[in-house]
């Protein structure tokens, strides 16, 4: 790998050596629109929990503005990945799947944890099913790559994504937008900001997003399929000034989505020999990729349906005490989900069943953080805080049509409750050693408690009957803790060049699988010896890593060009991997520790403002993410194999041209991205699905009369209509990526 990187690394080093002042890692559309002739614009971020210029923030990060989202027609987080270096955001059947620098997790159940934290206005959103909602009245999205174990806590071994919405301002303003596109797409959004006196400001935002299914039904039934959407979302915010030194920001939000959860096709749509466990990619048109032709021999599929609802109330309190500022951030959130879906369930190469599943569940979470940060311009700046998180879930999975392997008509997982509790204390300080050199040290101590009480039941009917049915308990509890830390330094080579280096650690809590330990009583549930499992099977250990990173952010050519460089190396221990497997004749979803993994890479990106009307963006990532010690079954070694969604290199280029004529302004832009091939692994089946190299092109065209309050934007995404699977599971179900999308949007602002 070192040999292969020799020339790109030297090139990146040469670019960094020639660079002058720093710039942001990801140029936003707002900056494109507002860039003046004197160069690129700065971006203010809160990646380190206090405001700073992105160009002076010692973290590899990307920033996307709300204007960029609207210009590209992006409505959900899953649609953003192709604009982010070394990031995959996949809209899986069970929620948003985040992969950063090859680090991911596939346990989306209520007992699992992601490897990257997803936050909404600083509030951690625990469940992947609740992360891929409408992006409503967004100011910006900050994507932090690499472990964020000090300031953001557990479950940030891969990084963190923070969606930051607009807060009320002391200005009367309004905005509205309507959009139409293919797949019968219809969208509308609106915002109203009203100052109420000198102390109070209110802001309301609403959005509606509907489109038909991307999938075609080739099963011989009249049913519609999934990857459709019927979303509605609203948020009301109020900012109250409490004297001259304190303020309170309150947010209340809610959203619903009615959809079809049958969002998958067979892996045979992409791979030959998938049934035999030796999948080989083959070419096919998009229409074939998106057609579900699986016809189960054991059941007639039903019409799938799904309904989700989410709501939340949050508060941010800020009090300037003079030498320091006190911050409080807290929220209560609730997420409900009900659906019926039709699964593809490959039991063996010669036997693939159709399975209908009903699900009903509710998740509630509360989080509170109290933090204090120093003010002033002295040599020492510091912040410290306390954090508390509590999650409670109850759910019921019911599978039908599995009589061929479990000999009962119904197979269910009732759980009430699953709980997770996390507490942490953290602090970070930065000392200005000289006018140019700063040193940073941070630490966090976290304790996590998880517990679940439920069962695996074998039933003759949809409702459990103790007289005729059997139940095997699922009962476990675990407590883990970890100290994570960060040491770093950053230095202004010149007024225009910023370099940094850091060593950091990350941690993801341990957990448990289905089952119980025979002869024990856990959470008041007795576990008979005959159904018990071993502790080594039931529990898995925390995931930890140590990260080494160095980078440079620079501006040059009279502030008309930028370059951002990051090199990194991770050492992972006990990487957590999840998948379905048959254990003692029973289908179970299990997580195991993958032993040791290594991740190293390089990221280079930036912007060139060639003329006041011509702008180029570029990006290059190199990545080597592989297992160094891992045996999925205790016999076969996967040492040297790639981690999931870890292409060895990705190249991206963008160009935007502005043309003015007769009091009109046109902006045309194109973004191209080529990714090397990568793999999606199913360790429980000893299979890796290899996706070949693929290119993707997006384009947009915007028109606005000079000085007008409205504009029209046309966009197209995935113009080549190249479709790869977002996910593939151990039962042969694959979720296709988004097809070619295009639309036209009209925006008005006051």
């Amino acid at each position: 790998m070192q040999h292969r990187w020799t020339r790109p690394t030297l090139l990146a080093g040469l670019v960094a050596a020639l660079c002058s002042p720093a710039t942001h890692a990801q140029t936003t559309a707002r900056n494109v629109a507002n860039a003046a002739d004197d160069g690129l614009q700065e971006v203010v971020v809160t990646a380190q929990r206090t405001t700073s210029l992105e160009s002076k923030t010692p973290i590899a990060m990307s920033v996307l503005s709300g204007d960029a989202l609207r210009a590209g027609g992006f409505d959900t987080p899953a649609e953003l990945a192709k604009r982010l270096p070394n990031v995959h955001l996949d809209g899986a059947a069970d929620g948003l799947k985040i992969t950063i620098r090859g680090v991911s997790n596939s346990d989306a159940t209520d007992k699992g944890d992601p490897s990257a934290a997803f936050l909404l206005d600083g509030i951690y959103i625990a469940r992947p099913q609740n992360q891929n909602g409408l992006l409503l009245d967004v100011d910006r999205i900050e994507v932090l790559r690499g472990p964020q174990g000090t300031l953001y806590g557990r479950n940030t071994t891969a990084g963190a994504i923070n969606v930051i919405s607009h807060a009320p301002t002391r200005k009367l303003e309004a905005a509205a937008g309507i959009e139409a596109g293919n797949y019968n797409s219809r969208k509308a959004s609106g915002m109203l900001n009203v100052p109420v006196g000198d102390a109070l400001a209110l802001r309301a935002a609403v959005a509606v997003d509907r489109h038909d299914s991307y999938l075609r039904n080739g099963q011989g039934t009249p049913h519609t399929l999934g990857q459709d959407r019927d979303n509605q979302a609203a948020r009301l915010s109020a900012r109250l000034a409490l004297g001259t030194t304190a303020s309170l920001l309150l947010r209340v939000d809610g959203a619903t989505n009615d959809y079809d959860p049958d969002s998958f096709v067979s892996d045979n749509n992409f791979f030959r020999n998938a049934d035999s466990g030796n999948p080989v990619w083959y070419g096919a048109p998009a229409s074939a990729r998106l057609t579900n032709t699986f016809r189960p021999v054991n059941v007639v599929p039903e019409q799938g349906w799904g309904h989700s609802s989410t709501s939340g109330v949050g508060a941010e309190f800020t009090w300037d005490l003079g030498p320091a500022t006190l911050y409080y951030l807290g929220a209560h959130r609730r997420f409900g989900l009900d659906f019926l879906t039709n699964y593809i369930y490959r039991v063996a190469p010669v036997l693939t069943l159709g399975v209908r599943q009903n699900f009903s569940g509710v998740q509630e979470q509360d989080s509170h953080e109290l933090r204090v940060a120093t003010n002033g311009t002295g040599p020492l700046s510091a912040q410290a805080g306390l954090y508390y998180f509590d999650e409670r879930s109850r759910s019921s999975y019911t599978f039908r049509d599995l009589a061929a392997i479990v000999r009962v008509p119904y197979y269910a997982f009732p759980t009430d409750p699953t709980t997770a509790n996390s507490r942490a204390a953290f602090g970070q300080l930065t000392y200005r050693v000289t006018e140019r050199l700063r040193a940073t040290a941070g630490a966090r101590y976290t304790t996590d408690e998880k517990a679940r009480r439920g069962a695996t039941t074998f039933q003759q009917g949809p409702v459990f009957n103790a007289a005729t049915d059997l139940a095997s308990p699922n009962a476990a509890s675990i407590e883990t803790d970890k100290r994570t830390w960060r040491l770093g330094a950053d230095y202004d080579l010149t007024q225009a060049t910023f370099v940094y280096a850091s060593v950091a650690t990350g941690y993801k809590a341990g957990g448990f699988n289905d089952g119980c330990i025979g002869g024990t009583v856990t959470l008041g549930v007795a576990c008979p010896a005959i159904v018990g499992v071993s502790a080594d099977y039931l529990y898995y250990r925390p995931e930890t890593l140590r990260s080494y990173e160095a980078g440079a952010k620079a501006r040059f050519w009279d502030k008309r060009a930028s370059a951002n460089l990051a090199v990194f190396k991770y050492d992972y221990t006990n990487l957590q991997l999840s998948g379905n497997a048959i254990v003692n004749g029973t289908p179970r979803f299990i997580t195991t520790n993958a032993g040791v993994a290594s991740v190293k890479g390089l990221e280079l990106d930036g912007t060139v403002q060639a003329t006041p009307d011509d702008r180029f963006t570029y990006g290059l990532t190199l990545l080597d993410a592989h297992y160094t010690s891992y045996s999925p079954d205790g016999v076969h070694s996967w040492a040297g194999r790639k981690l999931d969604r870890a292409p060895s290199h990705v190249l991206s280029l963008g160009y935007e041209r502005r043309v003015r004529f007769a009091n009109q302004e046109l902006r045309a832009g194109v973004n191209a991205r080529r990714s090397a091939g990568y793999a999606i692994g199913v360790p429980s089946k000893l299979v890796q699905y290899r996706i070949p190299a693929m290119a993707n092109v997006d384009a947009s065209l915007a028109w606005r009369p000079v000085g007008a309050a409205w504009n029209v934007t046309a966009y197209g995404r995935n113009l080549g209509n190249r479709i790869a699977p977002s996910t593939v599971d151990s039962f042969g179900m694959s979720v296709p990526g988004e097809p070619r999308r295009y639309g036209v949007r009209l925006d008005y602002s006051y």
Side-chain angles (χ1 to χ4, degrees), residues 29-30 32-33 67-68 70-73 613 655-661 663-670 699-706 708 710-716 743-747:
R30 175 181 295 176
V32 172
D67 290 340
R70 285 187 293 274
D613 296 321
Y655 172 62
E656 184 183 80
R657 170 69 175 173
R658 180 179 63 181
V659 178
R660 291 191 178 109
F661 62 94
N663 256 2
Q664 310 294 316
E665 179 179 286
L666 283 176
R667 289 182 181 272
V670 61
S700 64
L701 179 65
W703 168 58
R704 179 177 67 90
V706 174
W710 57 272
N711 66 84
V712 177
T713 303
Y715 67 86
V744 178
R745 181 177 180 87
L746 170 65
D747 284 293

Side-chain angles (χ1 to χ4, degrees), residues 20 121 131 155 160 166 201-202 214 250-251 262 266 268 295 395 410 517 550 589 622 641 643 648 705 714 746 749:
S20 209
D121 294 315
Q131 296 174 355
N155 303 339
H166 282 287
L202 302 176
Y214 299 154
L250 300 175
R251 291 187 176 99
D262 289 340
S266 170
N268 293 305
R295 300 191 180 193
S395 62
Y410 291 84
I517 298 178
F589 189 84
L622 304 176
R641 293 200 183 191
L643 301 185
S648 60
L746 170 65
S749 61

